[in-house]
Amino acid sequence: MESNGKGVSIDGLPLPFEAGEIDFGEPGTNGQHSFYQLIHQGRVIPCDFIGIMKSQQPVYLKGETVSNHDELMSNFFAQPDALAYGKTPEQLLGEKVPNHLIAHKTFSGNRPSLSLLLPSLNAYNIGQLLAIYEHRVAVEGFVWGINSFDQWGVELGKSLASQVRKQLNLSRTKGSPWRALI
């Protein structure tokens, strides 16, 4: 995919804002233990939730009220609501939360998210997802006046990797000691 991680416009002028996005994620509820805390109470990070209506492997455990897929879908619908609405100190007081926990359990809400619900997980729908994200990156680049298709930062890394490659070869073939590359 293209990259909008730029510091200057197409004209070479410094951007007055931070461009680009960081895409990361986890399947199912795994993200709850790694980064959901950050998106709920840390910095504001626009996030996308992608759900699949039809499970590929539904598991029903005896004694559970819903299948594993229904449990995941419950979180798929609830997490964006939690980000949008949050929880106020007044609500927490009404729930009789101890005063020393109010600040810890307060959530500002008004955090941006997008929910995409696909009918099933197949090649066609994955292609649609890729098209959505490619389109978003290209449109952001047009709007921000940056070239989403250049890769100057990558070129610098490739150039430095070439120097390291040469030194590794010398070290392995001629026993040359490591030296400063830059």
Side-chain angles (χ1 to χ4, degrees):
M1 292 180 78
E2 289 68 51
S3 172
N4 286 338
K6 307 292 192 285
V8 297
S9 70
I10 290 174
D11 302 324
L13 301 172
L15 294 174
F17 52 84
E18 292 183 352
E21 60 188 58
I22 299 169
D23 295 318
F24 63 93
E26 280 289 328
T29 56
N30 293 352
Q32 291 181 162
H33 299 289
S34 55
F35 56 82
Y36 278 32
Q37 181 63 38
L38 173 65
I39 64 176
H40 281 289
Q41 288 181 310
R43 69 181 76 180
V44 175
I45 301 172
C47 55
D48 299 347
F49 293 90
I50 302 168
I52 311 297
M53 291 169 48
K54 181 181 177 196
S55 174
Q56 291 180 312
Q57 294 291 326
V59 175
Y60 291 90
L61 298 175
K62 188 176 182 176
E64 293 293 325
T65 56
V66 295
S67 69
N68 67 324
H69 184 258
D70 287 345
E71 184 68 33
L72 292 172
M73 294 309 294
S74 296
N75 281 280
F76 168 79
F77 290 110
Q79 291 294 344
D81 283 352
L83 288 168
Y85 301 116
K87 197 152 219 187
T88 66
E90 294 76 24
Q91 288 172 309
L92 295 165
L93 287 169
E95 296 171 6
K96 307 219 183 315
V97 171
N99 282 334
H100 71 280
L101 293 178
I102 298 291
H104 300 285
K105 293 188 169 202
T106 297
F107 301 92
S108 64
N110 198 29
R111 294 186 176 239
S113 70
L114 169 70
S115 297
L116 298 169
L117 185 58
L118 302 175
S120 62
L121 189 60
N122 59 33
Y124 179 79
N125 292 329
I126 291 172
Q128 287 182 315
L129 276 177
L130 288 172
I132 288 169
Y133 286 101
E134 281 282 330
H135 179 74
R136 181 162 79 185
V137 168
V139 170
E140 285 173 346
F142 301 147
V143 170
W144 292 336
I146 60 178
N147 184 352
S148 303
F149 305 96
D150 69 25
Q151 298 289 316
W152 300 117
V154 173
E155 293 301 320
L156 172 60
K158 286 180 182 178
S159 172
L160 295 174
S162 175
Q163 294 174 33
V164 172
R165 187 180 311 110
K166 288 176 190 172
Q167 183 60 47
L168 287 172
N169 182 41
L170 284 173
S171 295
R172 295 200 194 291
T173 59
K174 298 189 175 23
S176 297
W178 285 89
R179 61 178 173 78
L181 298 174
I182 301 175

